[in-house]
Amino acid sequence: METTIFSILGEGKAGHGAIGAVGYRLDQAGSHDSLLHDFEFLIMVVHHGLEETEQRIEHGMSGDSAYQLLHVSSREIERGILIGDQRDSVKYFLHGEIIWDIEGKLMAFRSYINEFGEPMKERRKLKEFAKFLKVYGEAKRYTAEKDLLDAYYCVLQALKHYARLELIEQGILPESSVWEQVRPLNSVVYKLFDELTENSETLEQRIQLVLLACEFTLASKMADCCALLLRILGSRKEAWGIQELAQVQELEHVKDELPLLLRKLVTRSLAQEITKAHKEGAGDSRELRYRA
């Protein structure tokens, strides 16, 4: 990385909570993605405790080089790992060149992310399974309606979530090039990807074949992938309301998918559904609550 780029932003001007800066240079042979666009350099200044309203962006020139400068929160980077979005930001943070590092805090944080420890892995697994479950259901609906192009798209997305689950189970952090990551594993999901995209059978037959495999995956992986949610459901004698679960910090990243996950766990007899009379309410209206 060029000297002029190193000197764009020093430690003293980075602002409160800054722990370090990472620089990434565009591979001229590569594509322009959502963060680099046609900039030659991306610089990320990472902060602990940076509020969303304090995150900043700057476009500039250093000599003949155009750059994009981002101030990002370490919390947002970790959230990107748990949710599985912002894959470009995560890639640049993990693979960029460290420009400066205050007391080794940036390197320590990057090591923590790279280690992809069990708590983080468990939460990411739950999120990917929830996404898999959602698009699998959409694929089944589109197939039943003979809307095969939309069904094909959803099945392909389901396989990508399945592939990420396989990577997570191997202790590998999924990145943007998921098929390149999963190819060396000689996994079931890559064979299914080949069946979907290369098989000579009709489109509907290929979709049905992959849906059948997804149904088996759903049944075999649900208990393991939902271990975090099941543990929380069994953590007390009193059953949980949906709103209570949505407020649990460990489940914040899947609060939108909680209704779907809970209903599937009940359907598969992995969780119990009970009813509780409302304290105040007309008629026989009762609240549905859940426990393991």
Side-chain angles (χ1 to χ4, degrees):
M1 191 164 291
E2 297 171 358
T3 304
T4 53
I5 298 299
F6 275 100
S7 60
I8 286 171
L9 186 68
E11 299 176 27
K13 299 179 181 179
H16 78 275
I19 63 171
V22 174
Y24 196 94
R25 180 170 186 159
L26 173 68
D27 179 0
Q28 297 300 323
S31 61
H32 294 190
D33 57 34
S34 62
L35 280 182
L36 274 166
H37 303 293
D38 59 353
F39 292 103
E40 295 174 68
F41 295 93
L42 174 76
I43 300 171
M44 298 175 67
V45 181
V46 183
H47 299 251
H48 280 334
L50 189 70
E51 297 298 326
E52 186 174 350
T53 54
E54 297 176 299
Q55 297 189 40
R56 309 194 307 278
I57 185 169
E58 177 184 329
H59 291 171
M61 295 287 297
S62 178
D64 296 328
S65 301
Y67 67 86
Q68 178 159 246
L69 173 65
L70 303 175
H71 289 262
V72 299
S73 165
S74 58
R75 183 173 60 249
E76 278 300 300
I77 293 172
E78 186 169 358
R79 179 185 175 278
I81 298 292
L82 296 177
I83 300 293
D85 62 359
Q86 302 178 31
R87 284 186 286 274
D88 289 335
S89 294
V90 172
K91 178 180 76 173
Y92 298 139
F93 171 71
L94 291 177
H95 302 296
E97 180 179 347
I98 292 180
I99 300 173
W100 48 267
D101 184 0
I102 296 178
E103 298 178 354
K105 292 179 181 178
L106 182 65
M107 181 60 77
F109 180 60
R110 189 149 79 169
S111 296
Y112 161 73
I113 295 295
N114 265 319
E115 285 169 6
F116 198 39
E118 194 58 38
M120 190 181 296
K121 188 164 69 173
E122 189 177 51
R123 293 173 72 184
R124 177 64 186 273
K125 191 189 295 185
L126 179 61
K127 183 68 175 184
E128 286 300 338
F129 184 79
K131 290 178 177 180
F132 168 76
L133 196 58
K134 183 175 184 291
V135 291
Y136 163 75
E138 290 173 351
K140 285 189 67 175
R141 176 167 59 84
Y142 284 129
T143 303
E145 295 170 356
K146 301 298 181 182
D147 189 349
L148 297 182
L149 289 180
D150 282 331
Y152 178 86
Y153 173 79
C154 288
V155 167
L156 187 57
Q157 294 306 305
L159 285 180
K160 289 185 82 170
H161 294 305
Y162 184 174
R164 292 185 187 117
L165 283 172
E166 288 209 344
L167 290 170
I168 293 166
E169 288 168 354
Q170 295 287 329
I172 301 170
L173 176 63
E175 297 187 20
S176 52
S177 54
V178 62
W179 293 118
E180 290 304 312
Q181 284 185 285
V182 84
R183 188 201 303 266
L185 302 180
N186 192 30
S187 64
V188 171
V189 70
Y190 198 85
K191 293 172 184 175
L192 289 173
F193 175 71
D194 275 345
E195 287 290 330
L196 181 65
T197 57
E198 303 293 339
N199 196 299
S200 61
E201 294 181 334
T202 68
L203 180 60
E204 184 171 9
Q205 287 172 328
R206 284 180 278 152
I207 290 170
Q208 292 284 10
L209 174 67
V210 176
L211 283 176
L212 186 63
C214 286
E215 176 69 24
F216 174 78
T217 299
L218 188 154
S220 62
K221 290 184 180 290
M222 183 174 286
D224 178 59
C225 290
C226 295
L228 173 61
L229 177 54
L230 289 168
R231 189 166 63 249
I232 290 170
L233 288 174
S235 64
R236 69 183 198 189
K237 292 182 179 180
E238 184 183 354
W240 293 79
I242 181 68
Q243 187 58 32
E244 286 182 300
L245 289 167
Q247 293 172 348
V248 174
Q249 185 178 0
E250 290 176 287
L251 299 177
E252 189 275 335
H253 68 303
V254 291
K255 63 181 179 182
D256 292 338
E257 294 89 5
L258 274 175
L260 175 61
L261 286 168
L262 289 168
R263 302 310 299 168
K264 287 298 181 181
L265 287 172
V266 169
T267 300
R268 300 281 173 169
S269 300
L270 292 171
Q272 293 179 298
E273 173 188 278
I274 66 169
T275 58
K276 182 179 179 181
H278 287 293
K279 292 180 180 178
E280 297 178 5
D284 62 351
S285 175
R286 291 171 292 168
E287 179 188 10
L288 285 175
R289 299 176 73 88
Y290 305 91
R291 67 185 177 197

